[in-house]
Amino acid sequence: MMATRIRKTKSEERILTAAAELFYANGLRGVGIDQVIAASGVAKSTLYVHFRTKEELVAAYLRRTDDSWTAQLQDAAGRSGDDPREQLVGLFDALTDAFDRHGFFGCPFVSAAVEADLDSEARAITVRHSQRRQAWLSELSERAGADAPDVLARHIGLLIDGALASGRLLQDRAVVEAAKSAARLLVGGHT
């Protein structure tokens, strides 16, 4: 029983890893199930044991990406020290780290929101991601002493989204440095 569970977990991990790379680089609609099967090295039946539909696979990818991206933002913020004002600026290092790993393919959540139907689970997950990120930014802004924490959080969120979109378009990591500089000015102006 345990060997079956481990094998199942490893197969699921291979599928999700392959799907994540493909979806991120090519978009949700630009990737077919056969590509995920080929990239993951699993049998078609194995994929369908884990994910009955492409929509289920997309949802699992987005949930996993939400957890991963949130952790990367929070880690970058934490690396900048204990001061929440510095953390609001330091979180942009997560964008630089992402660019250095694989270049800019934009924000997977914006891409998913553009491609997904308005009533789809994929779109709902993207909205929850944005709300989760904004709640964290608001909390951080409040701890930083911002006079209007939700406003500062919204502005920082727009800088993150703008840096990811411009980074995708221009393929230039200097966009992140510009967003980080703008964040520093915003934080200074709000606290």
Side-chain angles (χ1 to χ4, degrees):
M1 180 71 171
M2 185 63 143
T4 302
R5 190 174 310 139
I6 290 170
R7 204 168 37 249
K8 182 177 179 184
T9 302
K10 285 184 179 182
S11 295
E12 184 175 18
E13 180 61 29
R14 285 179 27 213
I15 294 165
L16 280 170
T17 299
E21 291 172 9
L22 290 166
F23 288 147
Y24 185 61
N26 303 298
L28 304 180
R29 292 184 182 163
V31 176
I33 288 294
D34 289 339
Q35 289 172 283
V36 175
I37 290 167
S40 65
V42 301
K44 185 178 261 189
S45 60
T46 301
L47 183 133
Y48 285 114
V49 163
H50 296 287
F51 307 101
R52 292 184 315 230
T53 63
K54 181 178 177 184
E55 289 74 26
E56 281 186 17
L57 178 59
V58 166
Y61 152 70
L62 288 171
R63 281 191 295 273
R64 179 176 154 173
T65 302
D66 176 27
D67 291 340
S68 172
W69 184 235
T70 299
Q72 290 172 57
L73 287 170
Q74 291 173 345
D75 179 62
R79 288 192 317 252
S80 66
D82 293 332
D83 184 344
R85 292 171 301 187
E86 288 301 317
Q87 291 178 353
L88 283 163
V89 176
L91 64 84
F92 283 87
D93 291 343
L95 280 69
T96 304
D97 295 345
F99 181 81
D100 290 345
R101 271 194 310 277
H102 42 63
F104 272 123
F105 291 101
C107 175
F109 299 101
V110 171
S111 298
V114 168
E115 292 187 60
D117 293 331
L118 289 177
D119 62 348
S120 68
E121 184 177 8
R123 180 141 187 344
I125 293 167
T126 64
V127 169
R128 282 193 303 274
H129 165 74
S130 182
Q131 292 167 338
R132 179 181 179 192
R133 184 191 71 187
Q134 288 311 113
W136 173 65
L137 290 172
S138 289
E139 176 189 311
L140 205 51
S141 296
E142 188 171 335
R143 289 194 350 245
D147 50 4
D150 290 341
V151 174
L152 177 56
R154 192 171 24 255
H155 290 163
I156 297 290
L158 287 170
L159 284 174
I160 293 168
D161 293 341
L164 289 168
S166 292
R168 166 88 188 210
L169 178 66
L170 302 173
Q171 291 298 304
D172 184 356
R173 76 194 304 267
V175 191
V176 177
E177 288 305 316
K180 187 175 180 178
S181 294
R184 188 170 302 287
L185 293 172
L186 273 170
V187 170
H190 277 268
T191 56

